[in-house]
Amino acid sequence: MKEQYKIPNHVAIILDGNGRWAKERGLIRSMGHKAGSENLKKISKYIFSKGVKILSVFAFSTENFKRDKDEVDYLMNLFVKDFPKLVKKDDDLKIVFSGRRDNLRKDVLKTIDDITEKTKNRTGHILNICINFGGRADIIDATKKIYSDIQNGVINIDEIDEESFGKYLYNSMPDIDLLIRTSGEVRISNFMLYQCSYAEMYFPKVYFPDFNKDEFDKALDVYNHRDRRFGGINESKNN
Ligand code: IPE
Ligand code: IPE
Ligand code: MG
């Protein structure tokens, strides 16, 4: 019997290559970010239409604050202008944000808070936008919350296991099934370290602004040809 085509529950994308996309066209880096942001609107819609329940995107790392002030300012302005456009009336999309709040501008925080509030009761798909995000910071912040909950008697130390620990991470995001990083770089760059444990990874060459429907379909095909064993043995595949 033919196996059913598998749709990953949680897809994560490291949105990389905006700068190089612009450079190849003789444009300034910011134009690449603009194109990337426009693409995010289109591709996220398509990904959800395929039945993916959760999409996490890495939009700005804690380390990205090392970049020139002009580039950081451009990105922050873009977030304020473009993120609200992801919220559609009569939609079932819940949007959450993961990352540390410190160092983010007030208008960025307000944008994040408004969107979170507007979509918090929606139960369909989840778009998790990671800004000022670091995978290690996430784990450290979770550890601090756990310590405080233990001190306050909210939980007992014996209740901490891999599952309950995961719930303390930003927005309690579950394991990633398929992790995509565009632009050909083959590294995680401190993305969702805890949830990547058994993610299938895929590194297409295209820059994020060019990561279109066909590219996502290719990623799904690759995912469907992977043999996910989680440490066990898949008897049906004659391993
Ligand atoms: C990804 O594109 C967007 C952010 C990191 C904010 P880059 O800006 O890293 O683009 P490249 O990697 O320099 O091409
Ligand atoms: C990772 O991309 C962060 C985001 C895509 C937001 P970078 O371009 O910052 O990563 P490195 O510096 O190449 O590892
Ligand atoms: Mg990059």
Side-chain angles (χ1 to χ4, degrees), residues 121-213:
N121 294 323
R122 294 181 177 181
T123 53
H125 303 96
I126 299 173
L127 175 63
N128 172 37
I129 304 178
C130 299
I131 299 177
N132 195 14
F133 178 91
R136 288 181 176 175
D138 192 1
I139 293 169
I140 288 169
D141 290 350
T143 309
K144 288 181 178 169
K145 274 184 255 161
I146 291 171
Y147 178 75
S148 143
D149 275 0
I150 290 173
Q151 286 225 310
N152 294 324
V154 179
I155 43 155
N156 189 295
I157 193 153
D158 300 328
E159 291 171 74
I160 304 300
D161 57 17
E162 291 180 15
E163 201 189 328
S164 60
F165 190 96
K167 298 242 160 62
Y168 277 87
L169 296 165
Y170 303 140
N171 293 301
S172 308
M173 283 293 130
D175 283 353
I176 294 167
D177 299 294
L178 173 62
L179 173 73
I180 300 168
R181 179 175 188 148
T182 54
S183 90
E185 306 293 355
V186 184
R187 55 176 172 268
I188 297 181
S189 298
N190 199 18
F191 194 33
M192 301 171 77
L193 301 177
Y194 196 85
Q195 298 94 334
C196 273
S197 301
Y198 267 104
E200 291 301 327
M201 301 193 182
Y202 176 63
F203 301 97
K205 290 268 182 299
V206 286
Y207 299 135
F208 181 66
D210 291 331
F211 187 78
N212 56 21
K213 293 177 182 181

Side-chain angles (χ1 to χ4, degrees), residues 1-219:
M1 206 178 79
K2 202 171 172 290
E3 262 183 54
Q4 226 197 336
Y5 200 69
K6 292 186 290 279
I7 299 295
N9 177 58
H10 186 182
V11 171
I13 310 180
I14 301 176
L15 314 172
D16 201 15
N18 293 348
R20 280 163 284 166
W21 181 91
K23 198 173 169 209
E24 270 189 4
R25 284 161 181 75
L27 303 168
I28 52 166
R29 292 180 58 81
S30 307
M31 292 303 103
H33 295 315
K34 187 165 182 264
S37 178
E38 269 154 29
N39 191 42
L40 179 61
K41 252 186 285 168
K42 281 189 252 166
I43 200 66
S44 56
K45 212 170 150 196
Y46 183 67
I47 290 172
F48 291 129
S49 80
K50 297 295 260 190
V52 169
K53 170 93 178 147
I54 305 169
L55 173 64
S56 290
V57 293
F58 202 5
F60 192 90
S61 71
T62 310
E63 294 78 24
N64 288 148
F65 273 116
K66 288 181 196 161
R67 297 187 182 193
D68 282 355
K69 188 178 179 302
D70 282 356
E71 182 168 349
V72 172
D73 282 348
Y74 185 89
L75 280 162
M76 295 299 151
N77 291 338
L78 197 62
F79 297 158
V80 170
K81 187 167 131 307
D82 280 2
F83 286 160
K85 295 181 194 159
L86 295 166
V87 185
K88 296 269 178 299
K89 244 181 150 186
D90 306 322
D91 196 0
D92 65 353
L93 180 66
K94 176 173 175 169
I95 304 178
V96 296
F97 294 86
S98 295
R100 283 191 177 156
R101 293 173 70 88
D102 31 314
N103 295 328
L104 287 178
R105 285 179 354 201
K106 277 211 179 77
D107 57 342
V108 175
L109 290 173
K110 185 174 183 314
T111 305
I112 286 175
D113 291 341
D114 285 352
I115 294 172
T116 308
E117 179 61 29
K118 265 193 195 139
T119 64
K120 70 175 186 207
N121 294 323
R122 294 181 177 181
T123 53
H125 303 96
I126 299 173
L127 175 63
N128 172 37
I129 304 178
C130 299
I131 299 177
N132 195 14
F133 178 91
R136 288 181 176 175
D138 192 1
I139 293 169
I140 288 169
D141 290 350
T143 309
K144 288 181 178 169
K145 274 184 255 161
I146 291 171
Y147 178 75
S148 143
D149 275 0
I150 290 173
Q151 286 225 310
N152 294 324
V154 179
I155 43 155
N156 189 295
I157 193 153
D158 300 328
E159 291 171 74
I160 304 300
D161 57 17
E162 291 180 15
E163 201 189 328
S164 60
F165 190 96
K167 298 242 160 62
Y168 277 87
L169 296 165
Y170 303 140
N171 293 301
S172 308
M173 283 293 130
D175 283 353
I176 294 167
D177 299 294
L178 173 62
L179 173 73
I180 300 168
R181 179 175 188 148
T182 54
S183 90
E185 306 293 355
V186 184
R187 55 176 172 268
I188 297 181
S189 298
N190 199 18
F191 194 33
M192 301 171 77
L193 301 177
Y194 196 85
Q195 298 94 334
C196 273
S197 301
Y198 267 104
E200 291 301 327
M201 301 193 182
Y202 176 63
F203 301 97
K205 290 268 182 299
V206 286
Y207 299 135
F208 181 66
D210 291 331
F211 187 78
N212 56 21
K213 293 177 182 181
D214 286 350
E215 290 292 340
F216 184 69
D217 288 344
K218 262 193 248 169

